[in-house]
């Protein structure tokens, strides 16, 4: 089917794009998904999957697998051996006790209180962001329900919510614990995909964001094969090796997409983009209000993450390995990036699954200057040293590669940092947080929208529901 036969075109076959496409298809729309990558990534997706998506799209019966490693993380100790944290809070406390009895005593209470706060974020993430200026009865009722939900958690949770969200993750952890290894592996989640160090304000929010959906005492988002399951799910057509740009009609509305390499236009009255908001809208910025363009151009998309794989001759002896020995170590790694340099001693996290080892590296700042082979060898060497592997065993894509290959602004995999000024009703920009854009018929559904990266499919579901609600009204 081609031409005017499509009711909607979705740009991007990532999890959010596919989720949006399947919700629209189940509402009776004929949907085409266009994706510039030739092949789907074999890596597992990192992020909590809201249960609504699993249930409503029937993913459990389609082979969805969510990894639940136990221990969920391990970190090397300075004197040798590892600290291993388990899914059982008590078992983790016993492991921590060998390093610090005082920290072990505080672990269960810390896990309980952080879980309560993450639950508040979960309630926010499974629906569009709150409209704080709305006078509509339905929106006011929704805000009231959220307030009631928080109030029911008790006085301590309300105090924690107000106090912790703007804190640095270092301040939060220093309040609770003394052991450097424990604070390093926990603090690393607070700086994921941020060009900030653990002493930067708001990183406690980022820490809680990545705790959403996980059980108490597990402070990393789950990994799953949801992308592969959605790709195989019937109901939508996926066209790969098809880089697309938005096409506008003479009336200024979205009229479809142009498949760049094929010089082919696909017509549809609805375009939904899971791509980076800036790259989605940049080619049509001449039709937009200058203030909107200014706000869009000021979205912080400072990519600092290199991702890749590690090849070992032997089976990995870990499920998740975190090399971030202390909060000070993380801050020093950030210091290099702050001045435009790759970290000499980067924070590295590695995930082993089904014989494959995926690697996350910070801080590797985006540069618009082409990286030399010497820079790449030095980066591979530092990652290899952190993991006890030869540099030649490490293959990485830097933020520069992400921008060049996939048109991600400054190579940011979350399409924008999760800082306090870029969350909820301010994501991607204030006034345009509910997935629509100033162009009629063009919507956004990627991680650059609420609730951001690391939440698998929530933006796609929220966007599709908003689109269908608008069509009904």
């Amino acid at each position: 089917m081609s031409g005017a036969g499509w009711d909607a075109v979705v740009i991007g076959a990532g999890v959010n794009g596919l989720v949006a496409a399947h919700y629209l298809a189940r509402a009776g729309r004929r949907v085409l998904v266009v994706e510039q990558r030739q092949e789907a990534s074999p890596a597992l997706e990192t992020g909590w999957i809201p249960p609504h998506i699993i249930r409503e799209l029937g993913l459990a019966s389609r082979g969805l697998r969510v990894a639940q490693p136990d221990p969920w993380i391990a970190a090397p100790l300075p004197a040798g051996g590892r600290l291993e944290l388990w899914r059982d809070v008590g078992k983790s406390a016993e492991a921590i006790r060998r390093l610090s009895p005082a920290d072990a005593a505080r672990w269960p209470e810390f896990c309980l209180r952080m879980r309560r706060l993450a639950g508040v974020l979960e309630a926010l993430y499974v629906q569009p962001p709150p409209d704080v200026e709305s006078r509509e009865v339905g929106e006011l009722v929704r805000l009231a329900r959220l307030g009631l939900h928080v109030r029911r958690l008790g006085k301590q949770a309300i105090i924690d919510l107000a106090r912790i969200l703007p804190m640095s993750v270092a301040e939060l952890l220093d309040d609770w614990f003394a052991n450097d290894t424990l604070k390093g592996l926990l603090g690393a989640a607070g700086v994921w995909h941020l060009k900030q160090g653990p002493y930067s304000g708001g990183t406690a929010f980022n820490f809680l964001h990545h705790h959403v959906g996980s059980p108490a005492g597990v402070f990393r988002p789950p990994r799953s094969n949801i992308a592969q399951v959605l790709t195989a799910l019937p109901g939508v057509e996926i066209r790969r090796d098809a880089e697309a740009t938005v096409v506008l009609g003479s009336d200024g509305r979205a009229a479809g997409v142009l498949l760049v390499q094929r010089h082919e236009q696909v017509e549809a009255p609805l375009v939904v983009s899971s791509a980076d908001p800036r790259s989605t809208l940049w080619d049509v910025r001449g039709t937009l209000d200058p203030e909107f363009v200014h706000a869009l151009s000021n979205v912080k998309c400072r990519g600092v993450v290199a991702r890749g794989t590690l090849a070992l001759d032997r089976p990995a002896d870990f499920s998740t390995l975190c090399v971030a020995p202390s909060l000070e170590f993380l801050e020093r790694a950030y210091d290099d990036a702050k001045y435009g340099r790759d970290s000499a001693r980067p924070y590295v996290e590695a995930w082993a699954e089904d014989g494959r080892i995926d690697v996350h590296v910070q801080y590797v700042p985006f540069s618009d200057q082409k990286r030399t082979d010497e820079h790449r060898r030095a980066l591979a060497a530092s990652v290899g040293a952190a993991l006890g592997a030869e540099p030649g065993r490490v293959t990485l894509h830097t933020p520069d590669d992400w921008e060049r290959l996939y048109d991600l602004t400054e190579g940011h995999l979350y399409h924008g940092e999760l800082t306090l000024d870029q969350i909820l009703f301010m994501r991607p920009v204030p006034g345009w947080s509910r997935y629509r854009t100033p162009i009629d018929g063009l919507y956004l559904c990627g991680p650059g929208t609420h609730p951001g990266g690391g939440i698998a499919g929530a933006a796609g579901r929220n966007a599709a529901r908003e689109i269908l609600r608008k069509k009904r009204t």
Side-chain angles (χ1 to χ4, degrees), residues 1-7 9 30-32 237 239 259 262 264-268:
M1 190 180 295
S2 61
W6 302 107
D7 297 315
V9 176
R30 292 160 293 183
V31 184
L32 173 68
E237 181 176 323
R239 195 176 298 179
L259 304 183
R262 305 182 188 191
E264 175 188 350
Q265 183 169 328
V266 178
E267 296 178 0

Side-chain angles (χ1 to χ4, degrees), residues 15-16 19-20 23 48-50 53 226 230 445 455-462:
V15 171
N16 281 300
V19 165
Y23 273 95
W48 171 60
I49 310 167
I53 294 174
I226 184 174
L230 289 168
C445 73
I455 311 293
R461 177 180 182 268
N462 289 345

Side-chain angles (χ1 to χ4, degrees), residues 22-253:
H22 283 293
Y23 273 95
L24 293 173
R26 288 178 180 234
R29 307 303 195 272
R30 292 160 293 183
V31 184
L32 173 68
V33 178
V34 292
E35 167 59 49
Q36 62 179 316
R37 303 188 194 203
Q38 294 183 0
E39 298 178 354
S41 170
L44 295 183
E45 181 75 19
T46 301
W48 171 60
I49 310 167
H52 306 73
I53 294 174
I54 298 173
R55 181 177 65 253
E56 291 163 0
L57 296 183
L59 302 185
S61 63
R62 294 282 179 173
L64 178 68
R65 178 169 53 87
V66 179
Q68 295 183 325
D70 207 18
W72 60 267
I73 203 163
L77 293 168
R82 292 174 181 168
L83 168 63
E84 293 181 328
L85 298 183
W86 303 79
R87 304 183 77 81
D88 180 88
V89 171
K91 194 170 182 179
S92 290
E94 285 304 309
I96 296 168
R97 195 179 312 280
R98 292 190 285 271
L99 305 177
S100 170
D103 288 355
R106 304 203 76 186
W107 180 252
E109 179 67 12
F110 175 79
C111 294
L112 176 63
R113 283 166 63 174
M114 296 306 108
R115 184 70 204 95
R116 284 175 179 163
L117 297 184
V120 175
L121 297 184
E122 285 176 25
L124 284 167
Y125 288 176
V126 295
Q127 52 192 321
D131 185 351
V132 295
E133 296 181 350
S134 176
R135 294 180 179 272
E136 293 182 9
V137 173
E139 185 62 21
L140 294 175
V141 169
R142 188 160 74 92
L143 289 170
R145 284 175 179 166
L146 178 63
L148 184 61
H149 172 76
V150 174
R151 185 176 179 181
R152 284 173 176 166
L153 295 177
K155 179 180 178 181
Q156 186 60 60
I158 296 172
I159 293 171
D160 284 346
L161 192 65
R163 179 173 177 266
I164 289 175
L165 293 187
M167 289 177 72
S168 73
V169 71
E171 290 174 304
L172 170 65
L173 296 173
D174 282 341
D175 266 0
W176 284 88
F177 305 118
N179 182 262
D180 282 339
T181 302
L182 178 61
K183 289 192 290 185
L185 73 85
L186 293 174
V191 298
W192 259 23
H193 297 274
L194 292 181
K195 193 176 183 180
Q196 293 182 328
Y199 290 92
S200 300
T203 48
F205 165 80
N206 203 49
F207 170 74
L208 290 171
H209 174 87
H210 289 110
H211 184 37
V212 164
S214 293
V218 177
F219 295 96
R220 288 297 187 277
R223 286 163 55 81
S224 71
N225 66 338
I226 184 174
Q228 294 95 311
V229 173
L230 289 168
T231 299
L233 195 66
V236 302
E237 181 176 323
I238 302 173
R239 195 176 298 179
R240 291 193 173 273
D241 195 19
E243 180 182 353
T245 60
V246 177
V247 173
L248 305 185
S250 58
D251 57 358
R253 288 181 51 87

Side-chain angles (χ1 to χ4, degrees), residues 241 282 420:
D241 195 19
W282 207 242
L420 293 180

